[in-house]
């Protein structure tokens, strides 16, 4: 099962990891600030919209906001 998501700088997304055990930060809304290549893996620098805290997330943990 694969899902295609188009990510863009400045776009708003929700943290929704596919792994059911990853519950930390699930459901939080964020905005993409930058794409970073670390150890040959793509990470995404985001800012949480509720606290303005910057963090690095895996691209597979983000889903588009559907409201």
């Amino acid at each position: 099962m694969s899902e295609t998501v188009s990510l863009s700088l400045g776009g708003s997304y929700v943290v929704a990891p596919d792994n059911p055990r990853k519950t930390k930060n699930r459901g939080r809304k964020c905005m993409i600030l930058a794409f970073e290549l670390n150890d040959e893996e793509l990470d995404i620098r985001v800012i949480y919209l509720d606290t303005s805290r910057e963090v690095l997330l895996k691209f597979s943990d983000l889903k588009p906001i559907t409201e």
Side-chain angles (χ1 to χ4, degrees), residues 40-63:
E40 299 186 19
E41 286 188 7
L42 180 64
D43 290 333
I44 300 174
R45 181 163 301 277
V46 302
I47 185 167
Y48 289 125
L49 299 179
D50 56 352
T51 62
S52 299
R53 181 171 178 237
E54 287 187 26
V55 296
L56 283 175
L57 295 176
K58 301 294 180 200
F59 71 95
S60 61
D61 290 346
L62 296 178
K63 303 290 185 270

Side-chain angles (χ1 to χ4, degrees), residues 17-48:
D18 292 332
N19 184 344
R21 290 189 227 160
K22 288 178 85 174
T23 59
K24 188 174 183 180
N25 299 316
R26 183 179 294 272
R28 291 181 78 179
K29 294 180 182 176
C30 59
M31 182 176 65
I32 295 178
L33 298 177
F35 298 102
E36 299 182 9
L37 188 60
N38 296 323
D39 299 326
E40 299 186 19
E41 286 188 7
L42 180 64
D43 290 333
I44 300 174
R45 181 163 301 277
V46 302
I47 185 167
Y48 289 125

Side-chain angles (χ1 to χ4, degrees), residues 4-28:
T4 302
V5 176
S6 177
L7 302 176
S8 61
L9 290 176
S12 295
Y13 298 88
V14 66
V15 179
D18 292 332
N19 184 344
R21 290 189 227 160
K22 288 178 85 174
T23 59
K24 188 174 183 180
N25 299 316
R26 183 179 294 272
R28 291 181 78 179

